Amino acid sequence: MPISLWLREFGAWLTATAVLAGCAASTPDQPAPTPSAQPSTPTAPPATGVTSVTVAVPAGLDAAPFDQPRRASVPAGWTMSVWARVPEARLARWTPDGALLISVPSTGEIVRLAPSDGGPRRAPLLQGLTQPHGMAFAESTLYVAESDEISAYDYADGRATNRRTVAAGLPDAESPDLRGAYAHALKSVTVGPDGAVYFSIGSTGNISAEDRDATPPRATIMRVPPGGGPAEPFATGVRNGTGLAIAPDGSVWTAVNGRDNVADPATGEVDPQYVNDHPPEQLAKLTPGRELGWPYCNIDGGPADVPFIRDVQTNPGGDKLDCAALPPVEQSFGAHSAPLGLSFVDGELPEPYARGALVGIHGSWNRRPPREPEVSFYPWGDGDLGNQQTLVGGFQAEDGSRWGRPVDAVAGPDGAVYITDDDAGAVYRLAPPGR
């Protein structure tokens, strides 16, 4: 069947389904400045207005949490439905032949969802992997980030074959020197327009400064040159850059999970009220040698062009790292947002969402009240990202309870957004009008 015809039929079927249903002073003798008393900037509503809709649930997909009606906040005129159920679904990427791949680290699988008239056909693409998480395509080559290595496969006819290793010996909980202690073992991967491969190595803990001197270094974004070779640090001080993607202009961006329980610079004490909104999480454009501060510097302020201040717990005299000398971070999230999946859209969606970044916000675990889960949109223009907007919300009730926690959001070939949720075990389809 010609791809154009397949896409038309695919879109028609999906439309029917929708109906059913986280320093200042640069010298040691300078105190850290008093940070802004303003809390982290809340996200703006969608640019087109917002409406609350009932999530459509096709027959057979109505197990908990969809055993009762669930409502989501979406742009006016858009719809949202449960497209598939995949327990503990994490990151997602579309294949060249129009299937959606879902990583499931807990089972060691990459699941392939192929659209069909009766709903997506589910089949394992890869099994027996070690906590597979991030995925990326460069034409017909599929890259997979496991916790201990980055691998590449030839992808064709719905199969991944000819496995080869891109980067091996990566640290995870099985590394002998770590003795099972690794808080951020899951890794992400993306491929630049020149064929360079970038992947994340998270920190072992909240403020484990020894990660910066480890071999290979942890809390980094690594780069493998085009054609292969040893991986080298591309960006450092990246506590947990789970979100990793290439922007429309070919630049590399990361969404970072920042510090927990940071002390108030004014008092040196860990005050829950301060912790609630500090430090913001980073959404940063990476250049060779970029330093993002962890664990010696934290960003403060926002939402855009956010400067660094000294961490008074880990860098009290300012001699560990000159925080004031670090370039500001391009964009931010509210503290403890826990951004996970990051992808870019470049014409796949209608205006005003045609170009920008989509980010799955998992929501906080240590904030009161909890930071809400959502899917965020950052508009793209002139090589930069505008301020955060909420694309999809409504996953959290006023009492802080949640029925879902988005992980990743990717635009599909039919002009809709597909969202993974590891808490609800679901893949949602968010559809603009007429899609």
Side-chain angles (χ1 to χ4, degrees), residues 262-327:
V262 66
D264 184 342
T267 65
E269 301 295 328
V270 178
D271 180 350
Q273 288 189 317
Y274 181 84
V275 168
N276 264 354
D277 291 304
H278 298 86
E281 317 257 56
Q282 304 169 352
L283 180 53
K285 181 178 181 177
L286 302 183
T287 53
R290 180 88 194 255
E291 171 61 58
L292 291 182
W294 178 90
Y296 302 125
C297 309
N298 305 305
I299 60 171
D300 184 72
D305 300 320
V306 195
F308 286 87
I309 64 170
R310 189 173 73 241
D311 190 307
V312 297
Q313 291 166 297
T314 62
N315 193 17
D319 56 330
K320 297 291 187 181
L321 191 60
D322 184 355
C323 304
L326 300 181

Side-chain angles (χ1 to χ4, degrees), residues 208-229:
S208 44
E210 62 273 15
D211 289 337
R212 295 180 64 101
D213 299 318
T215 303
R218 303 185 284 265
T220 59
I221 303 299
M222 305 292 286
R223 178 182 184 270
V224 176

Side-chain angles (χ1 to χ4, degrees), residues 93 244-246 341-345 356-359 408-411:
R93 287 298 179 265
L244 190 61
I246 304 298
L342 170 66
S343 70
F344 283 85
V345 292
L358 297 171
V359 190
D408 202 6
V410 293

Side-chain angles (χ1 to χ4, degrees), residues 20-301:
L20 289 173
C23 246
S26 60
T27 58
D29 58 342
Q30 290 177 315
T34 301
S36 169
Q38 296 297 321
S40 300
T41 304
T43 57
T48 58
V50 64
T51 187
S52 178
V53 300
T54 298
V55 179
V57 184
L61 303 183
D62 54 355
F66 305 106
D67 52 349
Q68 58 181 285
R70 300 297 182 181
R71 298 189 67 82
S73 300
V74 303
W78 292 44
T79 59
M80 183 166 161
S81 61
V82 176
W83 187 63
R85 300 302 301 270
V86 180
E88 301 183 88
R90 291 290 287 189
L91 300 188
R93 287 298 179 265
W94 287 93
T95 68
D97 59 355
L100 186 62
L101 302 185
I102 307 292
S103 66
V104 188
S106 62
T107 63
E109 289 182 288
I110 302 293
V111 173
R112 183 177 185 269
L113 299 174
S116 70
D117 289 343
R121 299 188 306 272
R122 174 177 172 168
L125 179 75
L126 295 167
Q127 295 178 294
L129 305 183
T130 304
Q131 294 185 292
H133 194 235
M135 301 168 291
F137 274 96
E139 298 181 344
S140 62
T141 300
L142 169 64
Y143 294 85
V144 177
E146 299 180 61
S147 64
D148 60 349
E149 68 177 288
I150 309 298
S151 300
Y153 300 80
D154 295 331
Y155 180 88
D157 301 323
R159 298 174 63 238
T161 60
N162 189 26
R163 176 183 174 128
R164 57 263 191 204
T165 300
V166 176
L170 305 183
D172 66 4
E174 298 301 316
S175 300
D177 58 321
L178 297 176
R179 297 183 294 277
Y182 207 134
H184 306 125
L186 299 182
K187 295 170 176 65
S188 297
V189 63
T190 194
V191 184
D194 63 351
V197 178
Y198 302 85
F199 62 92
S200 62
I201 302 181
S203 69
T204 58
N206 184 32
I207 51 174
S208 44
E210 62 273 15
D211 289 337
R212 295 180 64 101
D213 299 318
T215 303
R218 303 185 284 265
T220 59
I221 303 299
M222 305 292 286
R223 178 182 184 270
V224 176
E232 297 289 344
F234 186 71
T236 54
V238 187
R239 181 176 176 272
N240 189 22
T242 300
L244 190 61
I246 304 298
D249 65 352
S251 57
V252 186
W253 288 72
T254 186
V256 185
N257 284 238
R259 277 270 271 122
D260 293 316
N261 297 320
V262 66
D264 184 342
T267 65
E269 301 295 328
V270 178
D271 180 350
Q273 288 189 317
Y274 181 84
V275 168
N276 264 354
D277 291 304
H278 298 86
E281 317 257 56
Q282 304 169 352
L283 180 53
K285 181 178 181 177
L286 302 183
T287 53
R290 180 88 194 255
E291 171 61 58
L292 291 182
W294 178 90
Y296 302 125
C297 309
N298 305 305
I299 60 171
D300 184 72

Side-chain angles (χ1 to χ4, degrees), residues 348-372:
E348 297 91 338
L349 303 180
E351 295 291 351
Y353 305 106
R355 290 170 181 80
L358 297 171
V359 190
I361 303 298
H362 212 219
S364 65
W365 65 270
N366 62 339
R367 185 183 190 274
R368 296 292 179 270
R371 182 78 63 185
E372 294 189 23

Side-chain angles (χ1 to χ4, degrees), residues 45 84 407:
V407 176

